[in-house]
């Protein structure tokens, strides 16, 4: 099967389905994750069609934006992949990637692993870090009408999945509840290396944030 005959309709499907999405989870997030997944895959042994379809479809119906329903995304992706005639193996692997990629507060046990999932998960996590990660985080906080920072509300590192999705804490807490924990959870060598640089950038950003908060020069 020609890869373009699968990828082009997939891209069209995603752009249509995600039109109007929150700026941190829109087509451009998907585009960056897709490119990054291909880049990481250069140093890994993986099925590039599964990697690309996993990256392209991973946020097709995000749990956060669908009242906590974890089944919609994999189901929509599966139905779409059937409609364009990919193999059952590829379809099922992509579904598993979508089911298992999310951080969900970091307390859930991941029930499936593969080289392809490792790659797409690293690509998605890298987009949560660094300058782009900071932009996405504040955009999401704004979208949910959250405070930027509140020194009286401390980060909560023990939230289960439900509490994590329901949280209305200030956006700065998200750095401690998720973003700064990601660099130690990367799957691939390339992912780990790139995460470190983005991690360090977020630490300098936070440093500067608190300096300004305290009114220092
Ligand atoms: P996961 O499902 O793996 O946690 P998400 O899709 O929830 O990934 O998160 C993607 C990005 O959305 C985060 O990296 C962050 O930028 C933003 N985001 C998600 N939850 C929050 C939150 N509670 N506060 C601020 N930003 C958030
Ligand atoms: Ni994503």
């Amino acid at each position: 099967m020609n890869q373009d005959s699968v990828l082009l309709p997939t891209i069209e499907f995603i752009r249509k389905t995600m039109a109007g999405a929150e700026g941190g989870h829109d087509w451009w997030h998907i585009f960056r994750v897709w490119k990054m997944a291909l880049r990481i895959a250069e140093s890994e042994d993986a099925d590039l069609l599964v990697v690309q379809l996993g990256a392209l479809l991973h946020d097709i119906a995000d749990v956060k934006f669908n009242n906590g329903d974890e089944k919609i995304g994999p189901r929509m992706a599966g139905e779409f992949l059937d409609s364009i005639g990919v193999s059952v193996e590829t379809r099922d692997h992509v579904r598993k990637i979508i089911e298992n990629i999310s951080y969900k507060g970091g307390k859930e046990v991941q029930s499936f692993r593969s080289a392809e999932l490792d790659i797409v998960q690293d690509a998605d996590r890298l987009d949560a870090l660094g300058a782009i990660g900071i932009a996405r985080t504040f955009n999401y906080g704004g979208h949910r009408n959250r405070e930027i920072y509140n020194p009286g509300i401390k980060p909560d590192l023990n939230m289960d999945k439900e509490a994590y999705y329901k949280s209305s804490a200030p956006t700065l807490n998200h750095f401690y509840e998720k973003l700064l924990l990601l660099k130690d959870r990367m799957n691939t060598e390339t992912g780990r290396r790139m995460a470190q640089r983005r991690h360090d950038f977020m630490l300098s950003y936070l440093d500067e944030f608190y300096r300004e908060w305290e009114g220092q020069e």
Side-chain angles (χ1 to χ4, degrees):
M1 195 176 217
N2 176 336
Q3 281 212 1
D4 279 355
S5 71
V6 173
L7 295 176
L8 293 178
T10 305
I11 290 165
E12 195 191 320
F13 170 69
I14 289 156
R15 294 192 74 153
K16 207 171 340 148
T17 311
M18 298 185 88
E22 179 263 313
H25 290 83
D26 61 359
W27 158 250
W28 293 110
H29 165 62
I30 303 302
F31 180 78
R32 291 187 301 267
V33 172
W34 176 32
K35 296 294 166 196
M36 183 61 73
L38 277 172
R39 162 129 195 237
I40 295 171
E42 285 170 16
S43 319
E44 309 292 321
D45 183 15
D47 178 333
L48 289 185
L49 184 61
V50 171
V51 166
Q52 295 188 82
L53 289 174
L56 286 168
L57 289 160
H58 83 275
D59 274 334
I60 194 67
D62 195 302
V63 177
K64 286 188 300 309
F65 305 116
N66 286 283
N67 297 320
D69 190 333
E70 294 178 6
K71 303 224 169 63
I72 300 184
R75 193 183 66 225
M76 274 178 68
E79 285 169 4
F80 169 73
L81 292 172
D82 280 341
S83 80
I84 58 167
V86 303
S87 73
V88 172
E89 293 75 38
T90 297
R91 177 200 70 193
D92 289 348
H93 195 163
V94 172
R95 284 189 58 136
K96 285 212 176 68
I97 290 177
I98 302 170
E99 276 160 8
N100 288 281
I101 190 171
S102 175
Y103 187 70
K104 297 177 187 151
K107 295 277 181 286
E108 298 289 301
V109 180
Q110 189 178 313
S111 64
F112 171 79
R113 260 197 98 165
S114 69
E116 290 77 7
L117 169 57
D118 280 355
I119 291 166
V120 180
Q121 193 171 50
D122 273 11
D124 192 31
R125 287 179 171 171
L126 283 169
D127 210 54
L129 303 179
I132 287 179
I134 294 169
R136 293 181 67 217
T137 302
F138 283 107
N139 199 74
Y140 184 79
H143 180 74
R144 298 283 300 265
N145 203 24
R146 300 212 174 137
E147 287 178 304
I148 290 173
Y149 177 51
N150 181 335
I153 305 177
K154 299 294 172 211
D156 179 356
L157 291 170
N158 286 306
M159 283 186 282
D160 62 16
K161 189 171 66 173
E162 278 72 32
Y164 174 73
Y165 284 130
K166 275 216 302 274
S167 166
S168 58
T171 297
L172 221 71
N173 290 17
H174 194 66
F175 285 79
Y176 303 94
E177 288 163 356
K178 174 183 172 191
L179 307 184
L180 293 171
L181 309 178
L182 290 179
K183 85 162 169 48
D184 292 328
R185 290 171 157 251
M186 303 302 287
N187 307 306
T188 66
E189 212 30 65
T190 313
R192 252 187 299 283
R193 196 182 62 242
M194 295 182 79
Q196 185 67 53
R197 182 188 159 97
R198 295 177 188 209
H199 179 89
D200 293 343
F201 181 78
M202 290 193 299
L203 290 180
S204 339
Y205 171 79
L206 287 168
D207 222 43
E208 194 68 18
F209 186 99
Y210 296 125
R211 285 179 58 86
E212 293 179 12
W213 190 272
E214 300 298 337
Q216 292 179 33
E217 283 191 31

